[in-house]
Amino acid sequence: MRPLYFDHNATTPVAPRVLAAMRPYFEAHFGNPGSAHIWGLRAKKAVDEAREQTAALIKARPEEIVFTGCATESNNTVLFGHFPDRAGHLAVSAVEHPSVLAPARALAASGVEVSHIPVTPNGLVDPAEAARRILPQTRLVSVMLAQNETGVIQPVAEIAEMAHAVGAAMHVDASQAVGKIVVDVAGLGADFLTVAGHKLYAPKGVGALFMRRGMDLPPYLLGGGQEGGRRSGTENVALIVGLGEACAMAMEDVAVEEARQRKIGAAIEAGLSGLGLAMRIHGQGAPRLPNTLFVGFSGFRAADILSECVIEEIGCGAGAACHGADTTVSHVLTAMGVPREFAEGTIRLSWGRSTTLDDAAELVARLKNIMRRIGP
Ligand code: PLP
């Protein structure tokens, strides 16, 4: 049986051309970009080039890109950086990733006023609710571009206008969007935007933060003054080169690959609908990523489906976790008000560049067997 990896929203494999681009920077070109000799200069040139490649993919300027260790670091930098005095107001959506929600909770505990913007039943951050929660004293609004569980693409540009109208900055966690759909920082109205390397075929351990020209933040890491003083620590040259190459790869074919992956999604949806089970596609009707299907089956528990998926060599995610007899439903499904019978039986399927229509058909066939075996 061939393994079927349908968990690309958790992480992607490193693309062969990304690995090839990185390799010399572990070997011959191992220099420190801060050194004034040929080893250092070569490393610095590689980092500069990766900055250009990363900026190009999101239509930014190279000097607006800060390389970080991960999306979590980018998100934490923006949230904590806006409230050094632990005062003022922050608005975040109810369906942000924990790397936004946990800093928001920490800020709330130390004096910042925090509002959560609710979502509609199909998972869209509700602009009418946003308008009520973006206040004259709001300093920062943080709304993700694509939700990691549902794949729902959020009305970021509309909410950015509201943020700017009260003089607040707009942060967009685009970890799940960059490389999958066209991202344009100006079109989105983003002042800050988070990129995660390992969600777009670069390795884990590297991310980026776009900071619009003219925006500034107190650095999260202090030290040798790398990244223009905005993020100290010797640059992780090889991984940064990997991120640059992954961005260059996405730049070449993001629209074509998006269309191809949408066809795979349509095939999976059609296949699963044909199983005759009580099923609900979360985020149906909302604009969604081309590679994500978050689907709930009434009468099933996600943990049971996932254990069978291990046997069938399918890799996928769940929307609910079991703790003994108790089931915790994800905060995203809770925010959407999904009925418990569908929430508890929710799995996330997310495919990628190497997934084929054959893989989709094979996935549906194996899921059919699983559902028959464990069905109510
Ligand atoms: N933001 C979103 C939307 C994500 O999906 C993830 C990872 O799942 C992150 C942030 C955090 O990424 P990392 O764990 O690489 O820092």
Side-chain angles (χ1 to χ4, degrees), residues 180 253-266 290:
K180 295 177 188 161
D253 67 356
V254 63
V256 174
E257 192 52 30
E258 177 182 349
R260 196 190 69 84
Q261 292 191 20
R262 283 207 188 279
K263 288 198 188 120
I264 293 174

Side-chain angles (χ1 to χ4, degrees), residues 190-233:
D191 299 304
F192 299 91
L193 183 135
T194 294
V195 178
H198 72 108
K199 311 286 188 190
L200 76 150
Y201 307 88
K204 296 156 195 66
V206 64
L209 175 62
F210 157 79
M211 289 172 62
R212 191 167 61 75
R213 188 153 70 175
M215 304 304 284
D216 211 2
L217 281 179
Y220 194 56
L221 291 179
L222 297 167
Q226 288 88 349
E227 294 294 284
R230 293 180 293 185
R231 201 270 190 183
S232 286

Side-chain angles (χ1 to χ4, degrees), residues 132-176:
R132 276 194 275 282
R133 284 166 179 80
I134 297 174
L135 310 170
Q137 69 272 30
T138 306
R139 286 189 197 171
L140 178 70
V141 178
S142 183
V143 175
M144 68 207 322
L145 182 50
Q147 214 295 322
N148 44 296
E149 294 184 17
T150 58
V152 169
I153 299 169
Q154 304 296 350
V156 163
E158 197 178 343
I159 296 171
E161 263 185 41
M162 297 177 201
H164 293 152
V166 298
M170 182 73 195
H171 169 237
V172 181
D173 176 358
S175 301
Q176 291 289 351

